[in-house]
Each structure stands twice: as structure tokens, then as C-alpha cells.
Amino acid sequence: MIRIRKARPADAAAIAAVHIETWRSTYPGILPEAYLAGLSLPRVAAFYQRSLLERREGAAMFVAIAEPETGCGPSQVVGFASGARARRPTLAQGEIETLYLLEDWRERGVGRRLMRATAAHLAAIGCRSAMLWVLSENPARWFYQHLGGRLVGTDMVRVGGVSVPQTALLWDPIQTLLLSTARADGA
């Protein structure tokens, strides 16, 4: 069973582990191998710890927690998403800043649920539109397009010492994202 909840500072190390594993499984051939190999759990965890403690206005992060099937054993953070008011308000009012999900948990509706939690948060703080940036060569880009994200721009971003193309996708109005992430059973 998967549970979605707001992230807590105590989740920082688990969030960092998901971040690193996801980048290493998604970005070979897109980002430099040395950069991916050098991702440091303590450094990335410290970044998320600070982010969770010093949330800027309107920012929120959600985690997907896998509960053990038997009810025995520890739960595990298998993904996370974050959003806030857009860094470039000319594109949209709200921005989905991250969505990372462990490979074994993809195609199970978990990413959709994380997107919905983030979009609902953005709508609750008054954002009438939402956007995100995705590396243009990210194989999961189709997921955002499947949810109705409309291509509205491209740009270059420096990651790991190299410039890589990124694509902006937009949901305007934000209700298009909320509707596309709603399950048929209303959950």
C-alpha cells in the first residue's frame, strides 16, 4: 500500500536516497557519468534537510511511502514531489519543482498521486496554472505530456558542469492537471 503525505525534515535522508537512485537510473548518457557517480548522500540529504526546515512561502513537498504488505517491517520512501509559486511567473503561477520515483514503483499510479498532491497544494495557495521543467531527453517526459502538459518553451540548464536542454510544460488552468490525475473511482 502507498500513502502520500507531506514530507518532514526526518525524511531528508530517504528523499536524498530516492533523488540519487532516480538520477543514476534516469540520466546515464544525458548527464556526465562522473557527476552521477559523485552524487553524495550526505550532501543531498543536507540540501533536503535545509529545504524542509526553511520552506519558502508557498512551498510544499510530498512523499510516497510504501507500507509493507504484511504489516511487519519498516515503511519506505519510494518517491517525492515538490511545488511552490513559480520561479518564472511569466510562464505560470505555480511550479512543480521535483518529481522523483524509484524505478520499481513506476507505472503503478504513484507518480500520478504525487502530481495530484502537488497540484492540489498549488491550487490551495491560489495558483491558477502550473508548469514544470523537465530535461528534454528525460525518458519520463511522456508522463507529463500524458497528463496534459502542453509544451510552452525550451531553455538550457547547467547540470554537472554541462549545459543540457530542458522543456517547459504547462497546465493552464491548473484544473486540467487536477482532472488528469484524478482516478476514475474519485480517489
Side-chain angles (χ1 to χ4, degrees):
M1 181 172 96
I2 296 289
R3 186 169 45 96
I4 307 294
R5 66 162 169 79
K6 275 198 169 178
R8 304 174 187 135
D11 297 321
I15 290 167
V18 170
H19 175 120
I20 291 169
E21 187 173 332
T22 302
W23 277 47
R24 287 179 178 163
S25 69
T26 303
Y27 295 133
I30 299 171
L31 297 178
E33 284 298 319
Y35 174 76
L36 295 172
L39 290 172
S40 159
L41 184 59
R43 255 192 326 268
V44 177
F47 167 79
Y48 284 112
Q49 179 81 24
R50 277 190 310 278
S51 295
L52 289 164
L53 288 171
E54 303 167 2
R55 288 188 181 142
R56 66 184 201 279
E57 184 183 343
M61 184 177 292
F62 298 89
V63 289
I65 308 288
E67 304 291 347
E69 298 277 330
T70 62
C72 299
S75 56
Q76 176 190 6
V77 173
V78 298
F80 68 97
S82 63
R85 295 196 185 283
R87 293 172 281 190
R88 295 186 191 180
T90 55
L91 292 175
Q93 293 180 341
E95 181 173 352
I96 296 161
E97 297 173 334
T98 60
L99 174 62
Y100 299 128
L101 186 61
L102 295 177
E103 202 164 346
D104 288 347
W105 293 91
R106 295 178 188 163
E107 312 229 2
R108 297 184 186 196
V110 180
R112 177 190 57 77
R113 290 177 61 196
L114 285 166
M115 286 287 285
R116 182 168 180 78
T118 307
H121 166 74
L122 293 174
I125 64 169
C127 298
R128 293 187 307 272
S129 58
M131 59 85 56
L132 63 73
W133 288 100
V134 60
L135 294 186
S136 299
E137 294 181 46
N138 183 333
R141 186 173 133 185
W142 67 268
F143 171 73
Y144 305 117
Q145 293 170 314
H146 177 74
L147 294 179
R150 190 169 43 87
L151 174 67
V152 292
T154 58
D155 201 356
M156 298 298 285
V157 62
R158 284 193 68 76
V159 182
V162 298
S163 290
V164 290
Q166 62 179 352
T167 301
L169 297 165
L170 173 71
W171 291 267
D172 189 6
I174 199 169
Q175 282 71 25
T176 58
L177 180 55
L178 290 167
L179 288 171
S180 70
T181 56
R183 288 191 352 202
D185 63 7

